[in-house]
Amino acid sequence: MTVSLVRAPVLGAKFALPDPPPGLVRRQRLTGRLDRGIQGPLTLVTGAAGSGKTALVASWARSRASSSPVVWLSLDEQDTPQSFWAHAVEGLRRAGVPVGGRADGSDPGLPVRIAAALEELPAPLVLVLDGLDRVRGPAAASGLRFVVEHAGPAFRLVVIGRSEPALPLHRYRVEGRLAEIGGRELAFTRSEAARLLQTQGGRPPDERVVDLLLERTEGWAAGLRLCALAMARAGDPLEFAGSAAAARQAVSDYLLTEVLAVQPAASRELLLRAGVLGRVHPGLAAALTGRTDCEAVLHDLVRRHAFVEPVAGTRWFRVHPLFTAVLRGRLRSRQPALETLLHRRAARWYAAHCRTAEAVEEAAAGGEWPYAAAQAVRHLAVGPLLAGPAAAPPTAASPPTAAVPAAAPAEALARMPEHTPGAAAALVAAACCLARDDVAGCRARLPRAERELVHEPAAGPAELLTLELLRLLSAPGPAEADAAARRIAELVLLLPDEERARHPEIEPLCRYGRARALLCDGRIRAAREGLAEAVRACADGAPALLSRCLGRLALADAAAGALSAAEEHGTASLDAADRGGVPEENRSGAAWLALASVAVERGDLRTAAAHLDRAADHSDTLHDPVLAAEHSALRAQLEVAGGRWHAALAVLDQPRPPGPPGAAARLAVAHAGAALAHGDHDTALTALRAVPEALPARTVLLAQAHLAAGQSAQALRLIERAEGSAEATLPDRVRLALLRAHCALLDGDEAAARDRLLHALDTARPELLRRPFAEAGPWLRHLAAGLNGHSSSYEWVTAAAPRAADGMPVEELSPREKEVLALVARMMSTEEVAAELRLSVNTVKTHMRGIFRKLGVSRRRDAVERARDLHVI
């Protein structure tokens, strides 16, 4: 008989499986990995405090109780190697594995005897060590290594801990003898989070609540559970989920007790001083703490799963956002003045390492506004601010020595007090106005910046270039824009080569600014050319600027009557914003206005109204004078099409600040058109006085008014003048042909009238331009009825597209279009669809344009949703 002499006391509670937490969520994806993991000798489950390690493995072990023995051993900080081995031997004995000799760490032969006993196992046995990393000293891990490597094929070991045990894991990984479940795998998925919240609340949670809490906790199990408990006591779950402060309060005690308090003193100091920033570099941590061992401390925090993780490929570290918030609250309560000082130190460290965005952000957080503004202007951060967020904004992942042309954080600079002294502050204030589409506010602040610059002898080319860039992008007309662009070109040459290379956005901004000024002046053809150049100049990393350029180009296309181009460029604008992940607040309504204009011109009034509503969701639609004028004009045209003349005139008569010539002319033309549709010739003539005489649209409307008044001769003279204008747009030319037809009909020459009508139809048909025919009057229907053999030439004008139950136009998709859309619904890119169907990328794009047109949408996602609603796919 084997006698086991156990000297250390044995506690039976250490062998008990932990009770499942209330509302335990079964996670099959992880229990399946444990099943597969124990096919080998060692499974390692590591993660931060509260990540659900113990609950997961205990739930798995409980489910295996009837099929194979599982020995559970819970360990804590009070355990020594002696007590560890005593409990390990007792646990194995209870599972029927006799281990002879003394059962504590004082016997160096104990690991050999344990391995020998395990080697004789007739069937697999699993030993779970929960908290092995808490056992003091290296002796336990050293002996365990021998057991793992010599215990035979039936022994399975599962280790749970916040850090990796001192075993040769690198060798086990290479040999394929180690299965691992880490923090990323332990994070709750969306469906798991929803089930957890449902167990706490008793009913399925709102999807927005799930998304907000999952984003805030990043799937951390204890964080989700604590937030769920606190949310159950709150009155409004959605309000709770949207509150960062509420989430911080819910987890604060847990993180302070279970994470911060158990760290060594050096780690606690670093976390409180550097962790409050959320992202940490050893050099930055050294600047904030004065320590020289910060990198070693940070790596130790990572090893301990202390809510700090390395950023791959860099020397940067990231602190969990909830932990960052808790650390910040702790610092404010203990040392309220220190936080400001730390932010200011961080600002100077970032500035010294050419990280302008972070320097501005930290200076603003430290209330050091003049320094924040000076950094933003000195490093030309205003350019990226106006160009919009980059597709892949520089983050803490970038090496600290890299010169980063990051956009100055708009939110931080927008908080700057209005009367912050200095030219840089005045320039930043003007730039913030322009970034939120307040052109008037920008121009109102530029004189102060000019005065301040005169009194700052240290002002260099960056300050002057910023001033000229703001002048250019807020210019009311081409003359001022051209002058500012010339000065920018001169100042750019004075910048160091590396500074120029860091700011590729300057050239497309200049081209965009000049083209925008042309659009403000109503010079459509020149604006189209300039905007096309701006699109070509846009870098791949500036999706917001590219989207804006494409949107304005689409608007100019629509004004010129190039409806297909407007549709293509408008859709490309929306796609650029989607692909670049541009936030909604940084998007422009220009593309939606252009698409609405296309729909109006083609007679698709329901789609036009929907697009106008989407355009109104963007701030520049209502604040930019050109876009605001376009929105009002299109809204009035919809009212006219519906026979609501008074409503149309009310839209156009709304008070608005003075705008540039192009915007004023657009409104006046719309006003005259609405008045003529109502038969009010005097009001139309009055409105046209605000339109430049050189604009063909004015001449066309005058001719229409005179013809309606019975003054055919005067109308013909105006028609001839307009026909000779190189600025006449496609709608102008179609209307002129229709006026010619009407004049001929009034003169009794019906044959000539029909010829003119056919010419108008031939001119309009390539772009499916219908509005001029819809507004021509009853005489047109009489004339069209007599086209005889040419009647098909007019059918496309009046043909109504098939409509769905909700009235939206739906034309039958071709079989190939259905194939393309089915693949798009599977989230495949254009290139992947092309490869799957063995088509060229351009062919797929052509099919997508047809799909958009037939379904009355402008984006891939909308097309998929629309097709599903109609059971097309």
Side-chain angles (χ1 to χ4, degrees), residues 683-850:
T683 299
L685 293 172
T686 301
L688 289 174
R689 291 180 189 142
V691 183
E693 291 188 6
L695 193 67
R698 177 183 186 274
T699 311
V700 171
L701 285 168
L702 279 175
Q704 186 178 339
H706 285 297
L707 190 59
Q711 300 166 349
S712 300
Q714 193 167 352
L716 283 170
R717 286 196 295 270
L718 291 167
I719 291 169
E720 289 170 0
R721 188 170 76 190
E723 287 173 338
S725 173
E727 296 294 326
T729 64
L730 177 68
D732 291 334
R733 296 199 306 273
V734 172
R735 283 187 168 85
L736 288 169
L738 289 174
L739 285 172
R740 286 277 191 187
H742 195 187
C743 287
L745 190 62
L746 291 174
D747 286 343
D749 190 349
E750 191 165 331
R754 281 196 297 272
D755 289 342
R756 292 295 184 179
L757 174 56
L758 288 171
H759 175 68
L761 290 166
D762 289 342
T763 304
R765 185 165 188 168
E767 297 291 354
L768 299 179
L769 180 63
R770 293 186 175 93
R771 191 164 72 92
F773 302 96
E775 296 178 352
W779 66 268
L780 183 61
R781 289 191 294 273
H782 166 74
L783 186 62
L787 288 177
N788 298 326
H790 300 287
S791 60
S792 60
S793 301
Y794 188 71
E795 288 175 356
W796 65 269
V797 174
T798 57
R803 293 182 177 267
D806 63 356
M808 291 290 284
V810 181
E811 185 178 336
E812 181 69 23
L813 298 186
S814 70
R816 178 64 86 182
E817 286 171 339
K818 290 180 181 179
E819 289 179 336
V820 169
L821 193 54
L823 296 178
V824 169
R826 288 162 51 188
M827 304 299 290
M828 295 176 68
S829 68
T830 302
E831 291 74 14
E832 291 168 335
V833 173
E836 179 74 17
L837 297 179
R838 298 184 180 180
L839 302 173
S840 71
V841 171
N842 285 336
T843 300
V844 173
K845 289 180 178 178
T846 300
H847 285 309
M848 287 305 303
R849 284 197 293 271

Side-chain angles (χ1 to χ4, degrees), residues 461-532:
E463 288 81 358
L464 297 174
L465 194 151
T466 298
L467 174 63
E468 296 301 336
L469 194 57
L470 292 171
R471 279 178 175 157
L472 169 61
L473 292 168
S474 64
E480 185 175 338
D482 288 343
R486 286 193 297 271
R487 288 191 290 270
I488 289 171
E490 295 167 358
L491 290 166
V492 164
L493 296 177
L494 300 179
L495 296 174
D497 291 343
E498 63 273 14
E499 189 73 15
R500 284 202 301 272
R502 284 196 292 266
H503 291 282
E505 78 281 352
I506 291 178
E507 182 187 353
L509 275 173
C510 285
R511 293 184 182 277
Y512 170 71
R514 295 178 72 179
R516 176 194 165 280
L518 288 167
L519 204 57
C520 285
D521 202 43
R523 294 165 58 180
I524 301 301
R525 187 169 64 176
R528 288 181 74 192
E529 294 172 359
L531 287 164

